[in-house]
Amino acid sequence: MNKLLIIALTIIALGGCKTNKAASDGANVSGEVNGTEMTETPVAVPEMPVGGSAAAVMPKAVVYKTTKDFFYNVPVMLSSNGTGLASYPDPADIVESQLPVRLADGYLLDRRGIGPKVAFTSYTYEQYHALGFVPGEDTLMKSIIDKYPLVVMYQLPINAVDAVADTAAVNAIIKGGFKGCVKLFERPVMVVK
């Protein structure tokens, strides 16, 4: 049934698309907007797999370990230089079902889509959800309690949905030393001489 749903949604999505003949032939499309000459160069879009497993297009699971317990704190993603925010959630999107899952050896299974540039705010999920409005970037930056919370982060060879459904398998990966995983981040170790 999942295959049929994916195929039907793909057909519906593609049915609503129109292609400019020149663009579909690989030619540049030119025009004028407010007196300015505009040129559009077509961009190749990779094909999405049709059929097959829905799991093939699902994001891989991510597990991480933090320096302190930030389990209930709302994560945000910092910009590449760490001085601003790259992304942050709408309060309506912060629900308890997106709290991380506690795993073996102090690891957490991500359910919010965090990455190596994660920072945690002083807002708990409950407090942030109750706001009813998106705080400004300045307010969120001031609410950050740790800009460098990660000890280590791994991408697992299984998708996020399967990882949540089978935490025993995830714990086995952890206990097995993360074989077949991609290390996304590891906190540098300072050596004092």
Side-chain angles (χ1 to χ4, degrees):
M1 172 137 176
N2 285 340
K3 289 180 186 180
L4 292 176
L5 180 61
I6 290 171
I7 292 170
L9 291 174
T10 303
I11 291 170
I12 291 168
L14 293 176
C17 296
K18 292 185 180 180
T19 304
N20 181 303
K21 176 70 175 139
S24 67
D25 291 341
N28 287 344
V29 178
S30 298
E32 195 170 298
V33 176
N34 296 331
T36 304
E37 181 69 25
M38 304 295 286
T39 302
E40 179 183 321
T41 303
V43 176
V45 178
E47 288 187 31
M48 293 297 291
V50 177
S53 170
V57 295
M58 298 187 94
K60 297 291 185 184
V62 171
V63 298
Y64 61 98
K65 191 182 277 194
T66 55
T67 57
K68 298 177 186 166
D69 184 5
F70 299 110
F71 185 81
Y72 291 104
N73 298 94
V74 173
V76 295
M77 296 300 294
L78 295 174
S79 61
S80 59
N81 64 7
T83 61
L85 294 176
S87 68
Y88 50 92
D90 185 291
D93 295 335
I94 295 294
V95 291
E96 283 194 30
S97 64
Q98 292 185 343
L99 282 168
V101 176
R102 293 187 193 271
L103 299 166
D105 300 336
Y107 282 91
L108 298 170
L109 175 62
D110 173 47
R111 297 201 303 180
R112 283 279 328 135
I114 66 169
K117 290 287 188 179
V118 69
F120 289 96
T121 67
S122 58
Y123 291 105
T124 64
Y125 274 57
E126 185 178 347
Q127 291 167 337
Y128 196 80
H129 183 75
L131 287 176
F133 64 92
V134 179
E137 186 171 335
D138 288 343
T139 301
L140 284 171
M141 286 298 291
K142 289 176 185 170
S143 76
I144 291 175
I145 53 178
D146 196 336
K147 281 187 170 185
Y148 310 103
L150 292 180
V151 173
V152 67
M153 176 180 275
Y154 290 94
Q155 182 182 61
L156 305 183
I158 60 175
N159 71 58
V161 172
D162 290 344
V164 170
D166 190 358
T167 56
V170 177
N171 284 330
I173 291 170
I174 292 169
K175 296 288 187 185
F178 292 99
K179 290 184 178 101
C181 298
V182 176
K183 188 181 289 183
L184 300 174
F185 177 85
E186 185 169 25
R187 187 180 199 88
V189 177
M190 290 180 38
V191 177
V192 179
K193 292 183 179 184

